[in-house]
Amino acid sequence: MFANSLRQGLRTASRSSARAFSTIPARAPRTNVVGALALGTAVAGYALYETTRSPVLLEGPRTIAGEKGTVTERSFVMIKPDGVSRQLVGKIVSRFEERGYKLVAIKSLTPSDALAKEHYADLSARPFYPSLVKYITSGTPVVAMVWEGKDVIRQGRRIVGATNPLEADAGSVRGQYAVSVGRNLIHASDAFESATKEIGLWFAPEELSEYEPIAWPWVMADN
């Protein structure tokens, strides 16, 4: 009888000791980890979009589009889905390279709806605006580029040609390859202000390369 009482006492003490010194933490309340991560990603993505969609100013008179009228002037050029689908990317890039301009950024992407709407915001009142946004975001990528060099904005517009291919010079991209306004292959900044906005919208400053091509002195000198 005494032995039974002793064994019962030891078992009780053992259980109490185990509870007192257990290192297993109590179960924490469940949280929706996946939902929290998704929300965090969405917030971070929107913050990045808000940061990059506005013009980015650098030091002094120079913006992300360089300095107007100098060899640092930059223009935003985009090959549209029809140009990509027709495999004209190489030919279009060659036009700017052969003219002597410097490629400082290039990437292929399918624009988001928000990016396309912001890029074409100045056309938002036009009846073709919804179909234009739908076309740019259709799934076929665009090729976004930044070109640099003296008067690259004005000269770039000449390389590209008039908006209506019927009015474009025969030697321009649109004059040679395009037929209709709705599929005119390419976009290029039409002014320094629009270049500043568009480059800042499509590229972060760290995506723009700073270098000097070996042929630069043979292209950009004024004397």
Side-chain angles (χ1 to χ4, degrees), residues 21-35:
F21 294 97
S22 175
T23 58
I24 301 175
R27 178 175 294 178
R30 286 188 176 182
T31 58
N32 189 346
V33 177
V34 175

Side-chain angles (χ1 to χ4, degrees), residues 62-67 70-77 96-97 99-105 145-153 199 208-213 216 219-220:
R62 186 176 178 183
T63 71
I64 198 170
E67 189 172 351
T70 72
V71 295
T72 70
E73 182 178 295
R74 291 170 173 169
S75 180
F76 174 76
V77 177
F96 285 84
E97 283 190 323
R99 189 62 182 263
Y101 289 115
K102 176 172 69 174
L103 181 64
V104 297
M145 301 176 285
V146 178
W147 290 91
E148 180 178 298
K150 185 172 174 59
D151 299 319
V152 67
I153 295 172
I199 296 172
L208 307 179
S209 299
E210 297 283 353
Y211 69 101
E212 183 173 310
W216 208 237
V219 178
M220 294 297 161

Side-chain angles (χ1 to χ4, degrees), residues 160-193:
V160 168
T163 301
N164 187 341
L166 286 174
E167 301 170 358
D169 292 340
S172 66
V173 171
R174 288 169 175 160
Q176 182 171 352
Y177 298 114
V179 174
S180 64
V181 175
R183 296 294 182 268
N184 61 7
L185 302 172
I186 189 170
H187 164 88
S189 301
D190 60 2
F192 186 76
E193 292 73 22

Side-chain angles (χ1 to χ4, degrees), residues 107-128:
K107 61 184 175 183
S108 175
L109 72 158
T110 300
S112 66
D113 190 68
L115 178 57
K117 286 181 176 178
E118 181 67 19
H119 178 79
Y120 287 113
D122 60 319
L123 301 175
S124 59
R126 301 290 186 90
F128 58 81

